[in-house]
Amino acid sequence: MKTTLPTLTLCLVALVATGFPFERKGGAGGTGGGGNKEKRVQYAGWDDVNVIAHGLLQLGQGLKEHVDKTKVQMRDISAKLRALNGTAAELDKAGQRVRADGEALRARVRGLEDREGQVLNVTAALREKAEQEEQQQQRGRKMVMERMTRLEERVDATLQGKGPLLPDTNGNAVGNYSDAGVIQMMLETQNRRIDDLVERIQLQQDKLDKQNVRIRTLQNQIQLTKERAAFKASRTDTTKQNGSVEQRDSPIEMASNCHELFLRGETSSGVYTIQPSGGQSFEVFCEMAAEGGWTVIQRRQDGSVDFDQLWQAYQKGFGSLNGEFWLGLEKIHSLSKDADYVLKIQFSDWKEDSDSLRLRFRLGGEETKYTLHVQDTVGNLESSLATDTSTGLPFSTRDQDNDQKPDTNCAKHLSGGWWFSNCGHSNLNGRYFQSPPPKQRHQRKQGVFWKTWRGRYYPLKTTAMMVAPAEIGNKS
């Protein structure tokens, strides 16, 4: 059917070319003026036929393309109509659902109104019953008080020898103390007095406990005052020994750590500027506790900072002191190099349980790869950083493999930088996983974990690492 129009066109052209000649009349060139006119038959030229045929073919092709486009448009229109019909049906169903939900909601509102009326009725009944109960209790209390008054009068009469006398086995009158009801009443009275005395003793004990707490608080404040006075005296002596007018007139020397700030009177946790002995000044976050000031060196709490950093970043530090951060190996070394220090580590899990431990430690400088030497552990929680005090644990990152596992780069295999002995004891600088933790074991390996608390590769919720002079450990 698609070739019908071109075929018919070709046939038409052939018929025109062969069966329908064109007639033309002769001119004045005939013999004998006025002679018979000759009729000449002349056919159309083949080029003209080709032109006509080509035009007809183009016309047919144009018509065919127009028909095809029209069919495509009709199909599109049909598809759109079907889609519109489907949408209309869905809207109709949605309208039915909305109407059904509205009816259900109206029914529920009616039910709630009915229930509210019932509740109001029950409330009124309960209020009335409560008033009746209160009246009954008042009457009962009145009756009890009257009875108590009569019993007290009877007891007083009995004690004064005015009560009824009871006969003994020989028929002789004896004292009125044999009245069982009076004796029972006396016992109850004594019990009440004993209960009152016990209650008073308990109140006195509570007051004593509060006084003991206040005494301990005052003792701690006195101790801190003495320490601060001794600290200021030592500073004054140092100034006098170094003494010059310029030194005495110079501003107060910057504190070397957070505990020194605490001894100077700072009690609020926050960001301070310190200057370790022989080093540059820098900002730190100080955690002020009852026993002194702690310098925080690491904190994880929400996963806002990527701890999978290279050696240089761990050396200088990164993050925000008011959020998640790593203070920096060089700063930690400058803090702890001149005195005995304690490292305090705090954990919490996704069940809101928490624990902590303290480690006496030493930290080497850059030439030792910031080797950590753990001397002993303070607290019940076992350390996952136990090291040989002679060799220690150097710090490792994925671009500086210093761990004790020769065939594996623990920092690359897990994540972040840490003092790795091997790849399974601890890593507080790993990837932060939100709860629940990933199911795949190879992903959990990259998380924040401490093997001796909650097990190996258990992702923790928060961690905090802080350091202070060793003397602070004696006040915990």
Side-chain angles (χ1 to χ4, degrees), residues 104-115:
L105 183 58
R106 283 192 289 272
R108 188 174 180 183
V109 169
R110 288 193 295 271
L112 289 174
E113 290 175 349
D114 296 339
R115 184 174 294 179

Side-chain angles (χ1 to χ4, degrees), residues 23 164 200 226 230 255:
E23 294 183 359
R200 291 179 182 178
K226 290 180 179 179

